[in-house]
Amino acid sequence: MPYPHSQGFATEPLSGRHRRNWAVGLLLVAALLFGAAQAAPAISGAAKGAAIGGYDPVAYFTTDKPAKGDPTITHEWNGATWQFASEEHRALFIAEPEKYAPQYGGYCAYAASLNRVAEGDAKRWKIVDGKLYLNNNFIAHKLWQTDLSGNLEDSERNWDGVRAKIEAKD
């Protein structure tokens, strides 16, 4: 039943989960608007020198934690320089880059679910079904995980448009 004081905006109250997501989402959108103003390469962090901020993408899978790469152990792939903590990690990446490279070019998975662009933070990560995903910050990471399957579905649906926004900024 509609609230008598509602003026066509809401007919039922927001549930606790939706109210929380809405409020935190507003904060995230504000952060994304301020962070998305600069030109972005196809791979997150590449314009600043190294993909995903110089972190080793293989380390997430082999050590279950992020590790900074060595700037002397690199590989060029997909228009970006990737750094690795060891020659072994570099060899694994060269053999199967799609297995180890983060989804969405290392851009924020939660932002992609909202059809937005935001850099990924190598310290805000999760492996889902054998794929590495990064998020922009603590709030985005937590929100993304509140509805993981729904947000992944939204990210996949939105990715072509998000990628077009990234490429348009180059």
Side-chain angles (χ1 to χ4, degrees), residues 29-167:
V29 168
L32 293 175
L33 289 174
F34 288 110
Q38 58 191 14
I43 301 293
S44 182
K48 298 173 188 161
I52 64 171
Y55 279 80
D56 177 349
V58 177
Y60 296 96
F61 295 89
T62 61
T63 65
D64 199 33
K65 63 182 178 181
K68 280 296 255 181
D70 180 334
T72 65
I73 306 173
T74 63
H75 178 67
E76 297 292 322
W77 180 75
N78 210 17
T81 302
W82 298 80
Q83 295 181 355
F84 304 93
S86 69
E87 288 291 344
E88 178 186 0
H89 285 189
R90 180 180 179 272
L92 288 168
F93 186 86
I94 290 170
E96 296 181 274
E98 289 87 4
K99 175 180 178 179
Y100 297 107
Q103 301 302 296
Y104 316 127
Y107 284 92
C108 179
Y110 185 67
S113 77
L114 300 173
N115 202 23
R116 303 286 305 165
V117 177
E119 293 279 336
D121 178 347
K123 297 174 194 154
R124 304 291 178 208
W125 64 280
K126 186 169 183 71
I127 295 174
V128 180
D129 296 330
K131 295 178 181 181
L132 174 61
Y133 296 90
L134 303 181
N135 280 295
N136 179 267
N137 56 47
F138 176 80
I139 294 169
H141 191 63
K142 291 298 181 187
L143 284 172
W144 182 69
Q145 292 184 87
T146 62
D147 181 12
L148 194 56
S149 62
N151 286 324
L152 282 172
E153 195 174 294
D154 291 344
S155 299
E156 288 298 317
R157 183 179 56 253
N158 295 337
W159 177 239
D160 287 339
V162 171
R163 182 175 39 215
K165 290 176 188 179
I166 294 165
E167 291 168 354

